[in-house]
Amino acid sequence: MEQEQIDDLVRRCQEAKTHAYNPYSNFRVGAALLCQDGTVYTGCNVENVSYGLTICAERTALVKAVSEGHREFKAIAIASDLANETISPCGACRQFLVEFGVSWDVIMTKPDMTYKTMKTGELLPLCFVPESLQEEKVSKV
Ligand code: THU
């Protein structure tokens, strides 16, 4: 990926964070998702009074993109307000990311615009993916 594209995603995920609907956790998260064709979708966390219904920023961005016809992605950048830690996607979001491939980039940022990058599959080792359903099975008894 070009540095310019990375810088743009890092900036856009910070901006997306400003739309977070987070009255229960007071924890803002933003995401910026780069599709293979260059389109970028952003997302934020959207909480609910029935807490378990909360949708994370990463899944908001992915659902926006997939619902507009995109299934191939280059990278997703994520931002929070944590001063000293890069934001790390939750387990549910990691599973959502590997659905669309195990070797695209997750750019985990800090508010000072520094970041670390890992592949989707590195964040969820031994993951269950669509191909898993096609693996050989024992015959049914
Ligand atoms: N959250 C995200 O949006 N993404 C993550 O990867 C971690 C957690 C949100 C969910 C909830 O609204 C708040 O952060 C606190 O858990």
Side-chain angles (χ1 to χ4, degrees), residues 95-106:
Q95 182 66 43
F96 228 79
L97 293 167
V98 297
E99 179 73 19
F100 300 99
V102 293
S103 57
W104 52 291
D105 291 330
V106 182

Side-chain angles (χ1 to χ4, degrees), residues 35-88:
C35 306
Q36 279 294 352
D37 71 353
T39 315
V40 174
Y41 287 88
T42 59
C44 63
N45 50 335
V46 182
E47 299 187 346
N48 191 274
V49 63
S50 178
Y51 300 167
L53 298 183
T54 291
I55 302 173
C56 294
E58 299 90 322
R59 281 178 287 146
T60 302
L62 272 164
V63 167
K64 283 171 70 176
V66 173
S67 65
E68 297 287 335
H70 300 273
R71 293 182 182 182
E72 292 182 0
F73 305 109
K74 279 190 181 159
I76 187 167
I78 318 164
S80 79
D81 294 314
L82 294 174
N84 303 313
E85 305 288 335
T86 54
I87 178 69
S88 181

Side-chain angles (χ1 to χ4, degrees), residues 5-138:
Q5 281 183 311
I6 297 173
D7 293 344
D8 181 58
L9 286 182
V10 171
R11 187 183 53 74
R12 288 173 81 157
C13 70
Q14 307 277 352
E15 191 180 298
K17 187 177 69 175
T18 65
H19 300 299
Y21 176 70
N22 59 334
Y24 308 106
S25 71
N26 195 33
F27 191 87
R28 301 189 303 170
V29 184
L33 174 65
L34 176 64
C35 306
Q36 279 294 352
D37 71 353
T39 315
V40 174
Y41 287 88
T42 59
C44 63
N45 50 335
V46 182
E47 299 187 346
N48 191 274
V49 63
S50 178
Y51 300 167
L53 298 183
T54 291
I55 302 173
C56 294
E58 299 90 322
R59 281 178 287 146
T60 302
L62 272 164
V63 167
K64 283 171 70 176
V66 173
S67 65
E68 297 287 335
H70 300 273
R71 293 182 182 182
E72 292 182 0
F73 305 109
K74 279 190 181 159
I76 187 167
I78 318 164
S80 79
D81 294 314
L82 294 174
N84 303 313
E85 305 288 335
T86 54
I87 178 69
S88 181
C90 80
C93 287
R94 292 175 193 215
Q95 182 66 43
F96 228 79
L97 293 167
V98 297
E99 179 73 19
F100 300 99
V102 293
S103 57
W104 52 291
D105 291 330
V106 182
I107 304 167
M108 298 167 278
T109 76
K110 285 201 272 190
D112 67 2
M113 311 292 266
T114 59
Y115 58 87
K116 68 176 174 227
T117 304
M118 288 178 72
K119 297 289 179 194
T120 49
E122 289 179 312
L123 288 168
L124 196 63
L126 303 177
C127 53
F128 186 61
V129 288
E131 296 74 33
S132 306
L133 295 179
Q134 310 310 325
E135 297 292 335
E136 189 182 354
K137 297 175 211 150
V138 294

